[in-house]
Amino acid sequence: MNLKYILPGLLIALFTVACSEDDSNYEAPIVNEVEGLNKVQEITNNDHTIELYTASGRFYTGYNAISIRIKDNTTGTYIENASVSWMPVMQMPTMQHSCPNTNPIKEPGKDTVYSGNIIYQMAFEDGTGWSLTVNYTINDMDYSAMAAITVMQNDDQNVSSFMGSDNKRYVVAMIEPKNPIIGNNELVVGVYEMESMMSFPVVQDFTLTLDPRMPGMGNHSSPNNTNLTYNSADNRYHANLTLTMTGYWVLNLKLMNTEGDILKGEAVTEDNIQSSLYLELEF
């Protein structure tokens, strides 16, 4: 018997068996689809647990990017095929109202995470008053879950709710920049009309003039800023914002309709150091 033919064949057979055993024992790595997010709270009903996440782990006044997952209470698995909507409501002493929001949709590249946003335009000092109802459909079955939520006041004014000169109520909220830098920043703002207590549609094709100032530094401005104009691709208003140094900035604004009528806000002058419509930024 010639060993030079037997030994290579034996080695190949052993290698094949070893590979087969390795393949059969291989387990795909577990992907954490909420990595980098922090759980705010859970909302439960008899069938499911709805997990709410944000980057900070809390809700604040202004723009909140929110991710949710829906867990089956029986199997412990997360739902991958839900259709989701929600309704935030604030209970006032004599009335209740909602706020601007975008319903969650499946986050690209993820199987179990749905993301949307809510703009809380106000909050009580202790964070109470708001509730969130989540309505969702799974395999043609409708479900709903509701719970009280805590919404804290942001340190800076990143949202403004006001009555315009046209006797309509508006909400203006800063969306970007989340992490400002010295130099050019993309400023992104949402503008919404309070059509009713529960409806806040996007306002299209208005203009927001921008005049950033540093009150603690002689109220100086900065160069190369642009006014905010509407972008139909994302239903938001975009501008260039130049920040020349770190510190506290006031973004003085004027809201103008399609005819150029000023609905809210004034120009900054020596006699008027700040507009009545403004947002704050500190970094």
Side-chain angles (χ1 to χ4, degrees):
M1 181 178 295
N2 195 330
L3 292 178
K4 73 176 182 180
Y5 296 111
I6 296 174
L7 288 175
L10 182 60
L11 291 173
I12 292 171
L14 290 173
F15 180 77
T16 302
V17 171
C19 287
S20 298
E21 290 177 353
D22 287 345
D23 289 343
S24 64
N25 293 329
Y26 173 77
E27 293 184 4
I30 298 174
V31 177
N32 180 9
E33 293 200 326
V34 291
E35 185 175 3
L37 299 174
N38 293 283
K39 187 186 292 185
V40 181
Q41 72 177 76
E42 297 178 346
I43 302 176
T44 61
N45 57 24
N46 291 333
D47 302 288
H48 303 99
T49 297
I50 298 158
E51 302 173 347
L52 305 174
Y53 294 86
T54 65
S56 66
R58 306 192 77 174
F59 294 141
Y60 290 96
T61 51
Y63 178 86
N64 293 256
I66 305 170
S67 297
I68 74 169
R69 293 197 299 179
I70 304 171
K71 184 169 67 175
D72 188 299
N73 290 341
T74 301
T75 65
T77 58
Y78 289 96
I79 305 300
E80 299 183 10
N81 61 341
S83 175
V84 188
S85 64
W86 54 23
M87 177 59 73
V89 174
M90 186 180 196
Q91 186 64 55
M92 303 291 287
T94 59
M95 63 168 187
Q96 60 181 14
H97 64 79
S98 186
C99 60
N101 65 89
T102 301
N103 286 325
I105 59 173
K106 180 70 74 69
E107 200 166 298
K110 296 187 177 181
D111 295 323
T112 65
V113 179
Y114 306 79
S115 58
N117 63 75
I118 299 176
I119 298 172
Y120 304 107
Q121 71 269 49
M122 61 187 301
F124 290 134
E125 187 174 346
D126 63 357
T128 63
W130 284 95
S131 65
L132 182 63
T133 300
V134 180
N135 301 303
Y136 56 102
T137 302
I138 304 170
N139 296 328
D140 296 324
M141 291 287 293
D142 295 330
Y143 303 90
S144 185
M146 187 271 286
I149 57 175
T150 300
V151 179
M152 303 305 299
Q153 183 70 47
N154 199 291
D155 291 337
D156 297 320
Q157 179 165 299
N158 58 0
V159 62
S160 178
S161 177
F162 56 90
M163 183 70 73
S165 60
D166 57 356
N167 293 319
K168 296 179 181 179
R169 182 164 289 278
Y170 296 94
V171 176
V172 172
M174 181 160 52
I175 300 171
E176 295 284 353
K178 295 184 182 69
N179 300 297
I181 61 170
I182 295 176
N184 294 332
N185 295 262
E186 183 180 19
L187 177 63
V188 182
V189 169
V191 182
Y192 310 88
E193 180 189 342
M194 187 176 183
E195 190 176 60
S196 70
M197 289 295 185
M198 297 297 165
S199 176
F200 293 77
V202 170
V203 174
Q204 301 181 17
D205 299 323
F206 279 19
T207 301
L208 283 159
T209 65
L210 171 64
D211 186 356
R213 300 279 179 149
M214 289 197 82
M217 300 291 291
N219 214 36
H220 72 72
S221 187
S222 59
N224 303 320
N225 299 291
T226 61
N227 292 330
L228 289 138
T229 55
Y230 180 71
N231 187 331
S232 60
D234 61 2
N235 294 321
R236 294 169 178 173
Y237 289 74
H238 294 250
N240 182 73
L241 168 66
T242 302
L243 303 173
T244 54
M245 58 190 300
T246 60
Y248 170 67
W249 289 82
V250 173
L251 309 185
N252 296 281
L253 305 170
K254 286 188 294 182
L255 179 65
M256 298 187 295
N257 61 18
T258 53
E259 287 76 37
D261 301 322
I262 298 174
L263 304 182
K264 180 71 172 179
E266 304 81 28
V268 176
T269 65
E270 289 185 3
D271 298 325
N272 182 58
I273 62 172
Q274 184 171 304
S275 174
S276 61
L277 175 58
Y278 67 94
L279 300 171
E280 296 176 319
L281 191 63
E282 189 167 8
F283 72 110

